[in-house]
Amino acid sequence: MRFEDRRDAGRRLGERVHELAIGQAWPDPVVLALPRGGVPVAAEVARALGAPMDVLVARKIGLPGQPEVGIGAIAGEAPPIFDERALRMLGITPDELGADVARERNEVHRCEALYRRGHPAPDLRDRAVVLVDDGLATGVTARAAVHLLRDEEPARVILAVPVGDRRAAAELRPEVDDLVCLSQPPDFRAVGLWYEDFDQVSDDEVLHLLRSLSIPERLRPARHR
């Protein structure tokens, strides 16, 4: 299965997620996108569900010298999550990545300030949370996001992606209540290979989609815990 672009992927993913939501009667659903690539996908899922959308900022921790190779990730103020198998193979310890973790933590804060513009994060307690990205490669970024979500005590956590690596999907499945992955090609290799158009998503596009889909949620007063 190939997709024209992230919007096409989101529309197809939204149809599948909507079917699942109807069958399970999800309580007060909210869609969270992993920016930036996950935002256009999540926007279509949110439209299919008639649900608000927000972002959950998670950052990949790259291999020193090869930052595009993800060996860990962080989300919020939670401790970093590492691909332990990769660390063993590379002979790297988490302590050696301290500077990289600090740099990416600062980037998490910068992105949250940019995308939220002073608005609080949505209250997730007792809600169905649909976490969306444009694909699943190693799965470490999604795992960091899921671990952070669990602390918010949602009713359900649903991970939804258009395409993903089979092993990564299998490893993540026990950590979520539902995993929706439209395609798990045996020759996966990289997320971008399964899109005709995989151009970078700009901050301006993220902000535009957030303004159009998340304002009602952000105006809702937070529930007391």
Side-chain angles (χ1 to χ4, degrees):
M1 181 183 293
R2 289 178 64 85
F3 306 99
E4 293 177 14
D5 53 21
R6 290 179 177 88
R7 293 179 186 277
D8 173 50
R11 285 191 288 270
R12 293 201 235 176
L13 185 63
E15 291 175 1
R16 184 73 61 83
V17 171
H18 183 255
E19 293 172 0
L20 186 62
I22 291 174
Q24 297 180 348
W26 291 344
D28 198 11
V30 58
V31 177
L32 295 184
L34 288 171
R36 290 177 296 197
V39 175
V41 182
E44 299 300 330
V45 174
R47 291 186 178 107
L49 291 175
M53 181 182 75
D54 211 298
V55 291
L56 192 163
V57 181
R59 293 287 302 179
K60 176 174 66 178
I61 300 167
L63 178 66
Q66 293 180 270
E68 72 282 357
V69 179
I71 56 174
I74 58 170
E77 298 302 319
I81 300 292
F82 291 105
D83 183 337
E84 299 295 343
R85 184 189 301 113
L87 292 186
R88 287 195 299 271
M89 289 176 59
L90 295 165
I92 298 174
T93 67
D95 288 345
E96 295 175 77
L97 298 169
D100 301 272
V101 171
R103 182 180 62 250
E104 295 304 332
R105 184 88 68 190
N106 287 336
E107 186 63 12
V108 166
H109 295 159
R110 187 196 71 82
C111 290
E112 288 179 340
L114 174 64
Y115 299 147
R116 294 198 184 284
R117 298 294 176 95
H119 296 288
D123 185 358
L124 304 178
R125 177 176 285 190
D126 299 328
R127 303 177 71 175
V129 179
V130 186
L131 180 67
V132 179
D133 203 357
D134 55 12
L136 195 64
T138 65
V140 68
T141 304
R143 178 172 289 109
V146 168
H147 283 207
L148 183 67
L149 285 177
R150 288 298 186 191
D151 291 338
E152 299 297 315
E153 301 180 20
R156 298 187 71 80
V157 174
I158 303 96
L159 177 62
V161 294
V163 62
D165 174 77
R166 289 183 175 182
R167 185 173 71 180
E171 291 176 349
L172 275 165
R173 192 174 296 277
E175 300 192 26
V176 295
D177 298 293
D178 295 288
L179 190 149
V180 180
C181 183
L182 299 183
S183 178
Q184 298 179 42
D187 55 340
F188 172 76
R189 290 181 288 167
V191 173
L193 295 178
W194 304 97
Y195 288 81
E196 298 294 339
D197 178 356
F198 198 64
D199 287 346
Q200 285 193 349
V201 177
S202 68
D203 284 333
D204 286 343
E205 183 175 358
V206 170
L207 291 169
H208 169 73
L209 290 169
L210 285 172
R211 282 194 296 268
S212 64
L213 287 164
S214 65
I215 288 176
E217 170 62 26
R218 291 182 174 191
L219 292 180
R220 177 188 299 177
R223 283 173 276 181
H224 295 292
R225 301 193 178 190

